[in-house]
Amino acid sequence: MIDDYYVARLDRETHAAQLQSLYDRCSDYVEIAFGNSVHPTAAEEDFVFARNMIFGIYSRDGRLIGVLEMLRDYPKRDEWWIGLLMLDPAARGQGFGARICRTTFDWIAHEGGRAVWIGVLNGSERAYEFWKKIGFVDVESQPYVASNSYETTVVLMKKILSGEV
């Protein structure tokens, strides 16, 4: 337990329905990422890539209030990629995101990670400002095509944790 939340690794068999319910509550993110407010297979798609580490963020009473997805040693050794940090709208604005990131970045550095990357989708101004505020810098913009063929743009951002990367 960290403050008022805890984190647990998710797996497809046990958690897909719970994760899909979170996606359904986060229709604002789904709209930005997939071009419509409903994406009924979003959770299943998250579990497709075996390298993904998918962590659920739970409230003290055991409700899934967020998800954090990461890849280790991507795009290169000692760098990590955050594929997704999504919080239930009811959990936003309470400092969870910053606290989760602080704890996660400390853990990544302990694991030998020297930098973290994230892609922020066009239309996610609030997310973009959040990542900038916690130390990420723009690297480049590039086209992004979602699994349902929805096209948009993504800003790749990077945060140095330690050493030169």
Side-chain angles (χ1 to χ4, degrees), residues 59-119:
S59 64
R60 280 185 184 260
D61 63 1
R63 288 178 301 112
L64 182 66
I65 59 171
V67 65
L68 173 65
E69 300 179 12
M70 298 183 295
L71 286 170
R72 182 181 191 145
D73 295 328
Y74 184 85
K76 56 187 173 183
R77 192 177 178 302
D78 298 332
E79 296 185 5
W80 291 55
W81 183 267
I82 296 176
L84 177 65
L85 173 59
M86 181 173 67
L87 294 175
D88 185 303
R92 296 177 192 164
Q94 300 173 41
F96 283 120
R99 288 185 294 168
I100 290 161
C101 286
R102 266 193 311 275
T103 303
T104 300
F105 299 158
D106 288 347
W107 177 68
I108 289 171
H110 182 270
E111 292 290 309
R114 298 183 307 145
V116 179
W117 288 81
I118 188 153

Side-chain angles (χ1 to χ4, degrees), residues 33-74:
F34 299 102
N36 53 50
S37 60
V38 177
H39 191 66
T41 61
E44 284 293 328
E45 291 172 16
D46 286 353
F47 291 107
V48 168
F49 301 106
R51 286 188 61 202
N52 268 2
M53 293 182 282
I54 305 174
F55 296 95
I57 303 159
Y58 290 87
S59 64
R60 280 185 184 260
D61 63 1
R63 288 178 301 112
L64 182 66
I65 59 171
V67 65
L68 173 65
E69 300 179 12
M70 298 183 295
L71 286 170
R72 182 181 191 145
D73 295 328
Y74 184 85

Side-chain angles (χ1 to χ4, degrees), residues 117-118 120 128 131-132 135-141 155-159:
W117 288 81
I118 188 153
V120 180
Y128 178 78
W131 295 111
K132 279 182 65 169
F136 281 77
V137 297
D138 294 16
V139 175
E140 68 177 287
S141 292
V155 176
L156 301 182
M157 302 178 81
K158 184 177 183 179
K159 177 180 176 75

Side-chain angles (χ1 to χ4, degrees), residues 108-156:
I108 289 171
H110 182 270
E111 292 290 309
R114 298 183 307 145
V116 179
W117 288 81
I118 188 153
V120 180
L121 294 166
N122 184 41
S124 301
E125 287 80 16
R126 188 173 173 191
Y128 178 78
E129 291 303 320
F130 168 79
W131 295 111
K132 279 182 65 169
K133 184 177 179 181
I134 65 169
F136 281 77
V137 297
D138 294 16
V139 175
E140 68 177 287
S141 292
Q142 65 182 34
Y144 173 80
V145 180
S147 60
N148 66 345
S149 301
Y150 175 71
E151 296 181 24
T152 188
T153 306
V154 64
V155 176
L156 301 182

Side-chain angles (χ1 to χ4, degrees), residues 22-43:
L22 178 64
Y23 267 103
D24 294 344
R25 293 190 310 273
C26 296
S27 60
D28 57 338
Y29 169 75
V30 174
E31 178 78 34
I32 290 168
F34 299 102
N36 53 50
S37 60
V38 177
H39 191 66
T41 61

